[in-house]
mmCIF file of all heavy atoms in Angstrom:
data_model
loop_
_atom_site.group_PDB
_atom_site.id
_atom_site.type_symbol
_atom_site.label_atom_id
_atom_site.label_comp_id
_atom_site.label_asym_id
_atom_site.label_seq_id
_atom_site.Cartn_x
_atom_site.Cartn_y
_atom_site.Cartn_z
ATOM 1 N N TYR A 66 9.141 15.809 -31.194
ATOM 2 C CA TYR A 66 10.429 15.754 -30.445
ATOM 3 C C TYR A 66 10.286 16.377 -29.098
ATOM 4 O O TYR A 66 10.804 15.963 -28.048
ATOM 5 C CB TYR A 66 11.453 16.581 -31.262
ATOM 6 C CG TYR A 66 12.642 17.117 -30.563
ATOM 7 C CD1 TYR A 66 13.614 16.292 -30.171
ATOM 8 C CD2 TYR A 66 12.730 18.403 -30.165
ATOM 9 C CE1 TYR A 66 14.740 16.664 -29.463
ATOM 10 C CE2 TYR A 66 13.771 18.917 -29.315
ATOM 11 C CZ TYR A 66 14.798 18.021 -29.058
ATOM 12 O OH TYR A 66 15.964 18.496 -28.318
ATOM 13 N N ILE A 67 9.472 17.476 -28.953
ATOM 14 C CA ILE A 67 9.318 18.292 -27.757
ATOM 15 C C ILE A 67 8.585 17.455 -26.817
ATOM 16 O O ILE A 67 8.861 17.281 -25.647
ATOM 17 C CB ILE A 67 8.663 19.645 -28.034
ATOM 18 C CG1 ILE A 67 9.655 20.594 -28.846
ATOM 19 C CG2 ILE A 67 8.319 20.316 -26.609
ATOM 20 C CD1 ILE A 67 8.904 21.855 -29.205
ATOM 21 N N LEU A 68 7.397 16.835 -27.269
ATOM 22 C CA LEU A 68 6.641 16.034 -26.414
ATOM 23 C C LEU A 68 7.413 14.843 -25.728
ATOM 24 O O LEU A 68 7.287 14.556 -24.569
ATOM 25 C CB LEU A 68 5.335 15.292 -27.119
ATOM 26 C CG LEU A 68 4.329 16.369 -27.574
ATOM 27 C CD1 LEU A 68 3.294 15.599 -28.476
ATOM 28 C CD2 LEU A 68 3.604 16.792 -26.266
ATOM 29 N N GLU A 69 8.213 14.222 -26.650
ATOM 30 C CA GLU A 69 8.997 13.148 -26.068
ATOM 31 C C GLU A 69 10.023 13.580 -25.126
ATOM 32 O O GLU A 69 10.359 12.986 -24.133
ATOM 33 C CB GLU A 69 9.791 12.562 -27.282
ATOM 34 C CG GLU A 69 10.432 11.097 -27.043
ATOM 35 C CD GLU A 69 9.472 10.040 -26.349
ATOM 36 O OE1 GLU A 69 8.290 10.067 -26.709
ATOM 37 O OE2 GLU A 69 9.956 9.430 -25.536
ATOM 38 N N ASP A 70 10.657 14.780 -25.341
ATOM 39 C CA ASP A 70 11.570 15.360 -24.469
ATOM 40 C C ASP A 70 11.015 15.681 -23.011
ATOM 41 O O ASP A 70 11.579 15.386 -22.070
ATOM 42 C CB ASP A 70 12.233 16.576 -25.039
ATOM 43 C CG ASP A 70 13.474 17.082 -24.494
ATOM 44 O OD1 ASP A 70 14.242 16.145 -24.016
ATOM 45 O OD2 ASP A 70 13.788 18.315 -24.630
ATOM 46 N N VAL A 71 9.740 16.244 -23.261
ATOM 47 C CA VAL A 71 9.122 16.529 -21.994
ATOM 48 C C VAL A 71 8.712 15.208 -21.166
ATOM 49 O O VAL A 71 9.072 15.141 -19.902
ATOM 50 C CB VAL A 71 7.744 17.296 -22.281
ATOM 51 C CG1 VAL A 71 6.805 17.327 -20.986
ATOM 52 C CG2 VAL A 71 7.984 18.625 -22.770
ATOM 53 N N ARG A 72 8.263 14.339 -21.872
ATOM 54 C CA ARG A 72 7.957 13.024 -21.162
ATOM 55 C C ARG A 72 9.147 12.242 -20.473
ATOM 56 O O ARG A 72 9.152 11.957 -19.294
ATOM 57 C CB ARG A 72 7.174 12.010 -22.202
ATOM 58 C CG ARG A 72 6.368 11.087 -21.608
ATOM 59 C CD ARG A 72 5.589 10.274 -22.459
ATOM 60 N NE ARG A 72 6.385 9.673 -23.470
ATOM 61 C CZ ARG A 72 7.099 8.545 -23.251
ATOM 62 N NH1 ARG A 72 7.188 7.905 -22.098
ATOM 63 N NH2 ARG A 72 7.969 8.066 -24.252
ATOM 64 N N THR A 73 10.270 12.265 -21.268
ATOM 65 C CA THR A 73 11.456 11.626 -20.970
ATOM 66 C C THR A 73 12.020 12.351 -19.628
ATOM 67 O O THR A 73 12.332 11.746 -18.583
ATOM 68 C CB THR A 73 12.469 11.611 -22.005
ATOM 69 O OG1 THR A 73 11.800 11.048 -23.154
ATOM 70 C CG2 THR A 73 13.624 10.837 -21.679
ATOM 71 N N LYS A 74 12.036 13.679 -19.667
ATOM 72 C CA LYS A 74 12.588 14.498 -18.630
ATOM 73 C C LYS A 74 11.760 14.447 -17.336
ATOM 74 O O LYS A 74 12.314 14.227 -16.231
ATOM 75 C CB LYS A 74 12.884 15.939 -19.063
ATOM 76 C CG LYS A 74 14.113 16.077 -20.006
ATOM 77 C CD LYS A 74 14.429 17.421 -20.419
ATOM 78 C CE LYS A 74 15.846 17.416 -21.077
ATOM 79 N NZ LYS A 74 16.070 18.569 -21.913
ATOM 80 N N VAL A 75 10.480 14.529 -17.453
ATOM 81 C CA VAL A 75 9.628 14.443 -16.393
ATOM 82 C C VAL A 75 9.737 13.121 -15.711
ATOM 83 O O VAL A 75 9.809 12.916 -14.475
ATOM 84 C CB VAL A 75 8.175 14.779 -16.672
ATOM 85 C CG1 VAL A 75 7.255 14.423 -15.572
ATOM 86 C CG2 VAL A 75 8.040 16.259 -17.139
ATOM 87 N N GLU A 76 9.753 12.025 -16.442
ATOM 88 C CA GLU A 76 9.917 10.663 -15.946
ATOM 89 C C GLU A 76 11.246 10.473 -15.326
ATOM 90 O O GLU A 76 11.405 9.424 -14.426
ATOM 91 C CB GLU A 76 9.588 9.520 -17.020
ATOM 92 C CG GLU A 76 8.102 9.600 -17.484
ATOM 93 C CD GLU A 76 7.765 8.570 -18.372
ATOM 94 O OE1 GLU A 76 8.617 8.007 -19.117
ATOM 95 O OE2 GLU A 76 6.600 8.343 -18.586
ATOM 96 N N SER A 77 12.242 11.273 -15.657
ATOM 97 C CA SER A 77 13.617 11.057 -14.991
ATOM 98 C C SER A 77 13.567 11.644 -13.599
ATOM 99 O O SER A 77 14.541 11.556 -12.829
ATOM 100 C CB SER A 77 14.578 11.670 -15.865
ATOM 101 O OG SER A 77 14.550 13.148 -15.679
ATOM 102 N N VAL A 78 12.589 12.482 -13.231
ATOM 103 C CA VAL A 78 12.523 13.234 -11.908
ATOM 104 C C VAL A 78 12.389 12.057 -10.829
ATOM 105 O O VAL A 78 11.519 11.161 -10.941
ATOM 106 C CB VAL A 78 11.355 14.179 -11.800
ATOM 107 C CG1 VAL A 78 11.186 14.676 -10.410
ATOM 108 C CG2 VAL A 78 11.600 15.330 -12.790
ATOM 109 N N ASP A 79 13.177 12.235 -9.919
ATOM 110 C CA ASP A 79 13.233 11.292 -8.761
ATOM 111 C C ASP A 79 11.835 11.342 -8.028
ATOM 112 O O ASP A 79 11.338 12.283 -7.677
ATOM 113 C CB ASP A 79 14.339 11.627 -7.736
ATOM 114 C CG ASP A 79 14.712 10.400 -6.991
ATOM 115 O OD1 ASP A 79 14.538 9.307 -7.490
ATOM 116 O OD2 ASP A 79 15.312 10.578 -5.951
ATOM 117 N N GLY A 80 11.199 10.047 -7.852
ATOM 118 C CA GLY A 80 9.914 10.067 -7.252
ATOM 119 C C GLY A 80 8.817 9.983 -8.297
ATOM 120 O O GLY A 80 7.704 9.872 -7.823
ATOM 121 N N ILE A 81 9.084 10.249 -9.512
ATOM 122 C CA ILE A 81 7.931 10.220 -10.562
ATOM 123 C C ILE A 81 7.972 8.811 -11.261
ATOM 124 O O ILE A 81 9.005 8.397 -11.712
ATOM 125 C CB ILE A 81 8.167 11.330 -11.519
ATOM 126 C CG1 ILE A 81 7.915 12.695 -10.975
ATOM 127 C CG2 ILE A 81 7.091 11.155 -12.708
ATOM 128 C CD1 ILE A 81 6.576 12.877 -10.265
ATOM 129 N N ASN A 82 6.763 8.175 -11.192
ATOM 130 C CA ASN A 82 6.595 6.933 -11.927
ATOM 131 C C ASN A 82 6.286 6.863 -13.382
ATOM 132 O O ASN A 82 6.418 5.873 -14.038
ATOM 133 C CB ASN A 82 5.644 5.943 -11.189
ATOM 134 C CG ASN A 82 6.081 5.696 -9.879
ATOM 135 O OD1 ASN A 82 7.241 5.602 -9.534
ATOM 136 N ND2 ASN A 82 5.234 5.336 -8.834
ATOM 137 N N GLY A 83 5.850 7.941 -13.761
ATOM 138 C CA GLY A 83 5.459 8.066 -15.321
ATOM 139 C C GLY A 83 4.796 9.349 -15.541
ATOM 140 O O GLY A 83 4.312 9.998 -14.616
ATOM 141 N N ALA A 84 4.786 9.670 -16.805
ATOM 142 C CA ALA A 84 4.132 10.985 -17.242
ATOM 143 C C ALA A 84 3.279 10.800 -18.390
ATOM 144 O O ALA A 84 3.549 10.002 -19.356
ATOM 145 C CB ALA A 84 5.332 11.970 -17.594
ATOM 146 N N ASN A 85 2.125 11.428 -18.343
ATOM 147 C CA ASN A 85 1.178 11.438 -19.398
ATOM 148 C C ASN A 85 1.037 12.937 -19.840
ATOM 149 O O ASN A 85 0.482 13.735 -19.141
ATOM 150 C CB ASN A 85 -0.210 10.990 -18.890
ATOM 151 C CG ASN A 85 -1.118 10.685 -20.065
ATOM 152 O OD1 ASN A 85 -0.786 10.574 -21.208
ATOM 153 N ND2 ASN A 85 -2.452 10.727 -19.748
ATOM 154 N N VAL A 86 1.522 13.114 -21.088
ATOM 155 C CA VAL A 86 1.588 14.439 -21.680
ATOM 156 C C VAL A 86 0.352 14.737 -22.602
ATOM 157 O O VAL A 86 0.310 13.956 -23.669
ATOM 158 C CB VAL A 86 2.903 14.813 -22.336
ATOM 159 C CG1 VAL A 86 2.984 16.240 -22.844
ATOM 160 C CG2 VAL A 86 4.126 14.451 -21.436
ATOM 161 N N ASN A 87 -0.494 15.407 -22.234
ATOM 162 C CA ASN A 87 -1.668 15.808 -23.085
ATOM 163 C C ASN A 87 -1.445 16.991 -23.909
ATOM 164 O O ASN A 87 -1.094 18.077 -23.319
ATOM 165 C CB ASN A 87 -2.904 16.007 -22.238
ATOM 166 C CG ASN A 87 -3.201 14.842 -21.383
ATOM 167 O OD1 ASN A 87 -3.252 13.575 -21.869
ATOM 168 N ND2 ASN A 87 -3.323 15.056 -20.051
ATOM 169 N N LEU A 88 -1.630 16.869 -25.250
ATOM 170 C CA LEU A 88 -1.389 18.130 -26.058
ATOM 171 C C LEU A 88 -2.871 18.740 -26.227
ATOM 172 O O LEU A 88 -3.767 18.143 -26.717
ATOM 173 C CB LEU A 88 -0.962 17.654 -27.488
ATOM 174 C CG LEU A 88 -0.589 18.723 -28.464
ATOM 175 C CD1 LEU A 88 0.453 19.671 -27.688
ATOM 176 C CD2 LEU A 88 0.047 18.077 -29.598
ATOM 177 N N VAL A 89 -2.875 20.001 -25.833
ATOM 178 C CA VAL A 89 -4.112 20.728 -25.902
ATOM 179 C C VAL A 89 -3.983 22.108 -26.654
ATOM 180 O O VAL A 89 -2.917 22.647 -26.649
ATOM 181 C CB VAL A 89 -4.779 21.095 -24.450
ATOM 182 C CG1 VAL A 89 -5.069 19.717 -23.925
ATOM 183 C CG2 VAL A 89 -3.666 21.799 -23.640
ATOM 184 N N PHE A 90 -4.899 22.529 -27.275
ATOM 185 C CA PHE A 90 -5.035 23.790 -28.002
ATOM 186 C C PHE A 90 -6.082 24.660 -27.538
ATOM 187 O O PHE A 90 -6.465 25.676 -28.133
ATOM 188 C CB PHE A 90 -5.011 23.620 -29.503
ATOM 189 C CG PHE A 90 -3.721 23.010 -30.063
ATOM 190 C CD1 PHE A 90 -3.840 21.561 -30.449
ATOM 191 C CD2 PHE A 90 -2.654 23.660 -30.146
ATOM 192 C CE1 PHE A 90 -2.518 20.948 -30.805
ATOM 193 C CE2 PHE A 90 -1.408 23.048 -30.605
ATOM 194 C CZ PHE A 90 -1.418 21.754 -30.940
ATOM 195 N N GLU A 91 -6.670 24.426 -26.423
ATOM 196 C CA GLU A 91 -7.604 25.261 -25.661
ATOM 197 C C GLU A 91 -7.077 25.440 -24.300
ATOM 198 O O GLU A 91 -6.898 24.482 -23.548
ATOM 199 C CB GLU A 91 -8.946 24.445 -25.645
ATOM 200 C CG GLU A 91 -9.669 24.240 -26.948
ATOM 201 C CD GLU A 91 -10.138 25.557 -27.540
ATOM 202 O OE1 GLU A 91 -10.810 26.385 -26.911
ATOM 203 O OE2 GLU A 91 -9.916 25.688 -28.715
ATOM 204 N N PRO A 92 -6.858 26.735 -23.788
ATOM 205 C CA PRO A 92 -7.000 27.927 -24.669
ATOM 206 C C PRO A 92 -5.878 28.054 -25.496
ATOM 207 O O PRO A 92 -4.874 27.523 -25.280
ATOM 208 C CB PRO A 92 -7.046 29.041 -23.555
ATOM 209 C CG PRO A 92 -6.262 28.368 -22.479
ATOM 210 C CD PRO A 92 -6.571 26.964 -22.491
ATOM 211 N N ALA A 93 -6.002 28.680 -26.590
ATOM 212 C CA ALA A 93 -4.974 28.795 -27.677
ATOM 213 C C ALA A 93 -3.857 29.684 -26.941
ATOM 214 O O ALA A 93 -4.129 30.626 -26.334
ATOM 215 C CB ALA A 93 -5.439 29.615 -28.853
ATOM 216 N N TRP A 94 -2.533 29.305 -27.273
ATOM 217 C CA TRP A 94 -1.506 29.943 -26.677
ATOM 218 C C TRP A 94 -1.409 31.375 -27.276
ATOM 219 O O TRP A 94 -1.641 31.570 -28.412
ATOM 220 C CB TRP A 94 -0.217 29.239 -27.064
ATOM 221 C CG TRP A 94 1.010 29.937 -26.449
ATOM 222 C CD1 TRP A 94 1.550 29.659 -25.192
ATOM 223 C CD2 TRP A 94 1.856 30.913 -27.090
ATOM 224 N NE1 TRP A 94 2.745 30.480 -25.084
ATOM 225 C CE2 TRP A 94 2.934 31.221 -26.162
ATOM 226 C CE3 TRP A 94 1.861 31.417 -28.292
ATOM 227 C CZ2 TRP A 94 3.825 32.043 -26.448
ATOM 228 C CZ3 TRP A 94 2.840 32.377 -28.694
ATOM 229 C CH2 TRP A 94 3.830 32.694 -27.678
ATOM 230 N N ASP A 95 -1.078 32.345 -26.469
ATOM 231 C CA ASP A 95 -0.615 33.753 -26.983
ATOM 232 C C ASP A 95 0.531 34.320 -26.167
ATOM 233 O O ASP A 95 0.834 33.662 -25.054
ATOM 234 C CB ASP A 95 -1.802 34.693 -27.144
ATOM 235 C CG ASP A 95 -2.400 35.116 -25.786
ATOM 236 O OD1 ASP A 95 -1.548 35.655 -24.975
ATOM 237 O OD2 ASP A 95 -3.504 35.006 -25.549
#
Side-chain angles (χ1 to χ4, degrees):
Y66 162 80
I67 296 171
L68 283 174
E69 191 53 35
D70 202 26
V71 167
R72 202 172 54 77
T73 307
K74 284 181 172 163
V75 170
E76 288 183 346
S77 74
V78 171
D79 204 24
I81 294 298
N82 291 336
N85 188 22
V86 184
N87 305 303
L88 189 52
V89 295
F90 290 104
E91 293 291 316
W94 180 88
D95 71 53

